[in-house]
Amino acid sequence: MSELVEKIESEEVSAPKGSLIFRKIWHLRLGVIGGLVILALLLTAIFCPLLAPHDPYAQNISNRLKPPVWMEKGDWKHLLGTDHLGRDLFSRILYGSRISLVVGISAAILMAIMGVGLGLFAGYYGGQVDSVISFFVNCMMGFPFILLAMSLVAVLGPSLQNIIITLALTSWPVFTRVTRVETMKLREREFILAATSLAYETWRILLHHILPNLLPSILVLGTVEIARAIILESLLSFLGLGIQPPIPSWGAMLAEGRNYMLMQWWLAAFPGSAIFLSALGINLLGDALRDMTDPHLRKS
Amino acid sequence: MNMARVQAQELLRVENLKKHFPIRKGVLGRTVGYVYAVDGVSFGMQAGKTLGLVGESGCGKSTMGRCLLRLHEPTSGRIFFDGQDITRMGHSELIRLRTQMQMIFQDPYSSLNPRLRVSEIVGEALRVHHLVPRRDWANRVEELLKNVGLQADHMARYPHEFSGGQRQRIGIARALAMQPKLIVADEPVSALDVSIQAQVINLLESLKDRFGFSYLIIAHDLSVVEHVSDRIAVMYLGKLVEVASDKQLYLNPKHPYTEALLAAVPVAAPGGRQRRSQRKLLKGDVPSPIQPPSGCRFHTRCPRMMEICTLKEPPTIQVEPGHWVYCFFYG
């Protein structure tokens, strides 16, 4: 009885619409934080020429290795100090967001197109087609990433678009696995049988009937893969396989700052934090997206 | 009577249809056995009539229905639709076939794509197969929805906004869009509330009167097909056991399995049916279709089992005109 009363009361509390929206936001608070981080990242990437106090390429040897503003010998001209060539670290980090976002988003889109396409075929046709594609996916997943990435960069040459291609070529199998399993589940549903009995072409069934039902999963996986691509880009750049100097990439900046880590720690710490924060933000947003598209959680 | 004319009226003829699903095991996918889902079924069906196909769940009746549209490839046997053998059709002929034969599905929650609007679910086929000129598309979709008792303003909604009965109506409208000659309805009401079942059955009836197509209605419950069928075929474990007109079957059931099915139909009033006092309910479960019993498949549960039933397949016996039974008892 008291349980019932409690239930009725709690329903009354949630009745006004305003509080419901608030509760939803509270439920997804981490996602909202992630979203704000991503928004800030996007705005930075778009408006960095306006926000950056200095030209990210302008060198000034006499002004090199200056500490951030709050330390001794730091000044307001260089908010986060300068690097070994006297370039303004703050401006370079702002510009670095462009590289990270472009690489992350385009690599994720490219790998989604490749992975989802193969996954749809494997899941829909099954049998031999599935065996061949699944075997290929397993081979790809078992292959060491660095080795594959190094060979690809060696063949293609290091440039922005080749980094994107490399990341896509090494990471698409995750999409294939997810798409394949979900397609197999959907294929058994009666609306796919209905589409077959309505004599629709296979491409229409795949793209118009199955794919829209996969979008939530693909979207969630996509956000996670954007974060992963950003981290992998900095890893490649750190190893010298990625974005070449003097273009400001967070990974390349981390690599350059490594030599000065003991005395001038800020050279490595700030680009590192930028990578960490954006990857965390995207992952939080991805989690929230998953919760929102999951009908079981949506009801509560 | 002219034989050719009889042939022309026959819309569907199934000859010795078999569908065996292989059971694969191990790394190499060796076939270790078969599920004999449909195992030698033959029947005919007249244009403009309704055939009810009845049997317990797992007896192969849905597989049968899907074979007719070649959603499953039959293992052997032949299916003639409008005089054409559809088991040997190529891809392009198959597309033409499917515009003449449509299906209504059992589960209205699984049979509608949750991501498509109702207008798209019902009207996509019109566009894909160029069934109406582009400018008439919306009007035609509206008309189809009205035919099944839905309103024009339902067009822009998604399936989850509808009840089970309404969803089933959408599924029916989708089948109507193709203007088929034959509609295979696979348990069209078994997923619905009892109060809605009658509505949907009545809708199917009235649509048949208006558009003149034929139905194959698959059900596990005789009371569902009772009112709508002209003829009824009873199926047990992949084989037919009795085919008769609805009156013959209800008033004069011959096969012991049919009798048991009739006895299992619930009666509203106590003592409302005379046979009730002597009803013969079946004991035990349906045997596995992987290893069906020898001889007559029903012998393991049959109250009239004889020795011969375990040894030989029962013959087809015509007990009265248009009433066939597959049982030694009448031989």
Side-chain angles (χ1 to χ4, degrees):
Chain A
M1 190 62 198
S2 64
E3 236 178 320
L4 190 69
V5 172
E6 221 171 311
K7 204 178 163 204
I8 292 168
E9 273 172 358
S10 73
E11 267 165 22
E12 271 169 8
V13 170
S14 69
K17 223 176 175 182
S19 78
L20 194 74
I21 289 169
F22 178 77
R23 266 180 32 170
K24 257 191 175 160
I25 291 177
W26 179 244
H27 179 68
L28 298 168
R29 57 197 178 277
L30 286 175
V32 172
I33 294 171
L36 289 176
V37 172
I38 302 311
L39 190 68
L41 192 65
L42 274 171
L43 291 176
T44 309
I46 295 165
F47 295 112
C48 59
L50 301 174
L51 294 170
H54 295 276
D55 179 356
Y57 297 105
Q59 300 181 5
N60 184 357
I61 299 296
S62 62
N63 208 16
R64 68 196 288 262
L65 298 175
K66 269 187 97 85
V69 60
W70 60 87
M71 287 175 64
E72 226 179 305
K73 287 195 263 173
D75 66 47
W76 279 102
K77 267 183 82 181
H78 299 286
L79 207 57
L80 298 179
T82 59
D83 67 5
H84 62 292
L85 295 174
R87 295 174 295 193
D88 181 46
L89 194 61
F90 182 59
S91 306
R92 283 179 70 74
I93 287 178
L94 291 185
Y95 273 88
S97 65
R98 283 188 165 181
I99 300 284
S100 289
L101 272 184
V102 166
V103 168
I105 292 173
S106 23
I109 289 174
L110 201 60
M111 65 180 94
I113 291 171
M114 295 182 350
V116 170
L118 282 172
L120 280 174
F121 276 115
Y124 186 75
Y125 286 107
Q128 294 288 337
V129 179
D130 179 32
S131 306
V132 171
I133 293 177
S134 293
F135 181 73
F136 194 44
V137 164
N138 286 331
C139 288
M140 289 295 293
M141 289 192 125
F143 213 78
F145 164 77
I146 291 293
L147 185 60
L148 189 58
M150 275 170 73
S151 347
L152 277 169
V153 171
V155 173
L156 298 169
S159 73
L160 184 65
Q161 77 191 44
N162 289 346
I163 297 305
I164 293 167
I165 293 170
T166 302
L167 289 175
L169 282 176
T170 50
S171 305
W172 59 267
V174 202
F175 282 91
T176 306
R177 281 205 165 166
V178 171
T179 311
R180 172 180 167 267
V181 172
E182 298 247 326
T183 306
M184 284 181 154
K185 275 195 290 183
L186 281 173
R187 197 180 51 171
E188 303 303 319
R189 297 275 296 272
E190 284 181 340
F191 67 81
I192 299 300
L193 271 182
T196 315
S197 65
L198 287 162
Y200 295 157
E201 304 92 325
T202 307
W203 67 263
R204 180 181 290 276
I205 293 173
L206 287 178
L207 298 183
H208 196 219
H209 292 256
I210 293 181
L211 190 61
N213 285 290
L214 302 181
L215 278 182
S217 323
I218 295 172
L219 199 67
V220 170
L221 191 59
T223 54
V224 175
E225 286 302 309
I226 290 175
R228 229 173 64 92
I230 288 176
I231 291 173
L232 289 178
E233 179 273 315
S234 39
L235 176 72
L236 287 178
S237 300
F238 182 84
L239 294 171
L241 298 168
I243 310 297
Q244 297 302 302
I247 302 170
S249 144
W250 292 340
M253 287 157 75
L254 201 60
E256 287 166 2
R258 187 183 47 137
N259 300 327
Y260 306 89
M261 203 119 105
L262 277 182
M263 304 303 293
Q264 286 84 23
W265 53 268
W266 57 90
L267 289 182
F270 292 123
S273 316
I275 297 168
F276 166 72
L277 273 179
S278 38
L280 180 70
I282 293 169
N283 277 326
L284 288 178
L285 186 69
D287 267 6
L289 281 178
R290 193 191 54 213
D291 288 356
M292 270 155 56
T293 50
D294 189 336
H296 298 291
L297 290 165
R298 193 160 37 185
K299 270 182 196 158
S300 62
Chain B
M1 220 219 262
N2 189 332
M3 271 311 281
R5 258 185 75 191
V6 178
Q7 289 278 324
Q9 281 176 347
E10 189 162 56
L11 180 68
L12 182 74
R13 189 152 48 90
V14 176
E15 284 179 1
N16 203 18
L17 185 75
K18 290 184 182 174
K19 176 67 191 176
H20 301 165
F21 293 102
I23 306 163
R24 293 183 204 285
K25 272 208 180 121
V27 196
L28 300 172
R30 254 178 335 118
T31 304
V32 294
Y34 290 95
V35 177
Y36 299 94
V38 179
D39 201 17
V41 167
S42 307
F43 63 87
M45 197 181 150
Q46 304 285 307
K49 300 284 184 188
T50 300
L51 176 71
L53 185 63
V54 184
E56 278 168 287
S57 45
C59 75
K61 52 195 192 307
S62 291
T63 308
M64 194 26 247
R66 288 176 182 184
C67 281
L68 293 183
L69 276 92
R70 293 232 349 231
L71 293 175
H72 289 319
E73 283 302 319
T75 310
S76 71
R78 298 166 84 181
I79 302 166
F80 293 93
F81 180 76
D82 241 0
Q84 276 182 299
D85 185 356
I86 66 169
T87 47
R88 276 157 216 200
M89 277 184 172
H91 183 72
S92 58
E93 285 172 302
L94 203 56
I95 288 177
R96 211 150 21 99
L97 167 77
R98 284 176 178 158
T99 62
Q100 297 175 29
M101 227 196 257
Q102 277 301 302
M103 192 144 182
I104 296 169
F105 293 89
Q106 174 174 10
D107 178 4
Y109 291 89
S110 161
S111 65
L112 305 179
N113 191 334
R115 299 258 156 192
L116 295 183
R117 290 178 195 279
V118 170
S119 57
E120 191 64 9
I121 291 172
V122 174
E124 191 178 9
L126 300 175
R127 235 174 325 120
V128 172
H129 300 297
H130 312 290
L131 296 178
V132 293
R134 189 177 290 257
R135 62 190 141 74
D136 297 339
W137 184 79
N139 288 334
R140 177 72 180 133
V141 174
E142 200 179 314
E143 191 188 326
L144 286 166
L145 288 179
K146 281 185 179 151
N147 282 341
V148 296
L150 294 170
Q151 280 123 47
D153 61 325
H154 288 149
M155 276 172 73
R157 300 206 197 154
Y158 286 94
H160 71 260
E161 298 171 65
F162 293 91
S163 67
Q166 286 175 313
R167 282 163 158 255
Q168 199 58 305
R169 286 169 192 268
I170 296 168
I172 294 169
R174 173 175 61 188
L176 282 185
M178 300 284 263
Q179 296 179 294
K181 287 184 186 167
L182 173 67
I183 291 185
V184 176
D186 185 1
E187 305 250 12
V189 296
S190 62
L192 304 177
D193 287 348
V194 178
S195 55
I196 311 291
Q197 286 189 353
Q199 287 180 18
V200 172
I201 287 286
N202 289 341
L203 172 69
L204 289 176
E205 269 284 76
S206 70
L207 289 174
K208 183 187 154 190
D209 292 342
R210 269 176 74 184
F211 299 106
F213 41 64
S214 321
Y215 284 121
L216 177 71
I217 296 186
I218 299 170
H220 61 257
D221 181 354
L222 267 173
S223 62
V224 168
V225 295
E226 187 168 0
H227 308 286
V228 286
S229 302
D230 300 301
R231 289 181 67 74
I232 295 172
V234 182
M235 203 168 166
Y236 183 79
L237 215 59
K239 284 189 182 288
L240 292 181
V241 294
E242 187 164 2
V243 185
S245 74
D246 60 330
K247 282 211 181 72
Q248 288 167 336
L249 194 90
Y250 280 99
L251 298 176
N252 189 16
K254 290 296 179 197
H255 199 282
Y257 181 63
T258 314
E259 286 175 11
L261 276 186
L262 279 170
V265 173
V267 183
R273 183 177 293 171
Q274 284 182 339
R275 271 203 316 273
R276 194 179 157 84
S277 53
Q278 35 180 312
R279 50 197 269 180
K280 301 154 186 158
L281 287 180
L282 283 181
K283 293 191 178 69
D285 283 325
V286 188
S288 161
I290 299 168
Q291 283 173 318
S294 62
C296 173
R297 299 193 162 184
F298 189 59
H299 81 252
T300 53
R301 300 166 82 190
C302 183
R304 287 184 224 146
M305 202 260 279
M306 300 178 288
E307 208 188 324
I308 190 170
C309 301
T310 59
L311 304 171
K312 287 211 286 192
E313 295 233 350
T316 314
I317 292 154
Q318 189 165 13
V319 286
E320 53 188 311
H323 188 166
W324 286 277
V325 62
Y326 301 73
C327 185
F328 285 109
F329 195 75
Y330 302 96

